[in-house]
Amino acid sequence: MAEIAEARLVGRTANGELQAFEQLYRVYHPRLTRFLDRVTRRPGLVGELLNDTMLVVWNRAATYDGRSKVSTWIFAIAYRKALKALSRLDEPMEEDEGREDQPAPPETGPDYRAAQSQLREILAQAMDHLSFEQRAVVQLTYFHGIGCREIGEIVGCPVDTVKTRMFHARRRLRTLLEGKLEGWR
């Protein structure tokens, strides 16, 4: 049902309806922000990439043909924008210190929040050691619930390549996290 509503919003955006575009922006802003932040690991770049992505959506909404989900189309634009931006940069990646995606539930104590923060830091550091392509596949799979076929469309590669990237990413993460997650299971 949501896919049909999103496709209608894209169609209305293609007709120049600003209100439809604003709705689309509100729907995708949090998802794209998380994706771009986790994939690029450069918080200062995320806002620019998000705006560049949505500008393409506004300008090229009429080219959306419905062969894929709206989310696949938009994430593919964001992926290409991120890849291009990272290829132009020659700076070290920023650390992930003090950033939390979601606050712990209020009923949990400080020990729980500290443990969750430590776990996020360990995972973020491990993810930093993955290639851009591997991080993108992991992020799209585990944090956005997108399947291999759609990820292939987003990143512009065959499904088997997506699976290979995931295989190597998991293997690399397993090695990087070995001994660091004792007591977390």
Side-chain angles (χ1 to χ4, degrees):
M1 194 64 101
E3 290 175 35
I4 295 170
E6 288 179 1
R8 286 185 184 138
L9 286 175
V10 172
R12 290 174 44 208
T13 299
N15 292 329
E17 289 186 39
L18 185 58
Q19 186 178 19
F21 176 72
E22 288 172 349
Q23 284 181 281
L24 203 56
Y25 189 94
R26 279 193 299 276
V27 168
Y28 279 91
H29 181 273
R31 294 171 64 191
L32 287 174
T33 299
R34 280 191 309 273
F35 172 70
L36 291 166
D37 181 47
R38 289 177 175 157
V39 169
T40 64
R41 311 307 284 168
R42 288 180 169 84
L45 189 60
V46 172
E48 179 183 340
L49 291 173
L50 174 68
N51 288 334
D52 288 350
T53 298
M54 294 310 289
L55 182 62
V56 171
V57 170
W58 172 257
N59 289 328
R60 303 199 31 116
T63 66
Y64 175 71
D65 58 12
R67 287 187 290 168
S68 64
K69 292 181 182 179
V70 171
S71 61
T72 302
W73 180 64
I74 293 175
F75 273 95
I77 295 167
Y79 176 83
R80 287 189 300 276
K81 289 289 182 185
L83 193 58
K84 187 175 180 180
L86 289 176
S87 71
R88 290 189 314 252
L89 293 178
D90 187 27
E91 62 185 40
M93 294 192 315
E94 294 182 22
E95 290 297 318
D96 200 25
E97 293 178 24
R99 293 178 26 209
E100 295 185 18
D101 290 68
Q102 296 179 353
E107 66 272 6
T108 60
D111 291 340
Y112 176 82
R113 288 191 300 272
Q116 289 298 317
S117 178
Q118 182 182 12
L119 179 59
R120 273 191 294 277
E121 185 175 329
I122 290 168
L123 291 173
Q125 288 173 357
M127 291 285 289
D128 284 346
H129 288 83
L130 299 178
S131 70
F132 174 81
E133 291 82 6
Q134 290 172 343
R135 270 197 317 274
V137 169
V138 170
Q139 291 295 327
L140 289 168
T141 300
Y142 292 110
F143 296 100
H144 296 281
I146 298 175
C148 289
R149 182 173 291 126
E150 283 182 79
I151 293 172
E153 291 177 33
I154 290 169
V155 301
C157 69
V159 173
D160 288 341
T161 302
V162 171
K163 291 177 181 178
T164 300
R165 288 176 183 173
M166 181 59 80
F167 171 80
H168 289 292
R170 285 180 182 152
R171 191 168 76 184
R172 179 83 170 127
L173 287 172
R174 188 177 304 118
T175 301
L176 292 166
L177 295 172
E178 192 172 328
K180 293 183 180 181
L181 297 179
E182 298 301 319
W184 291 101
R185 296 176 194 181

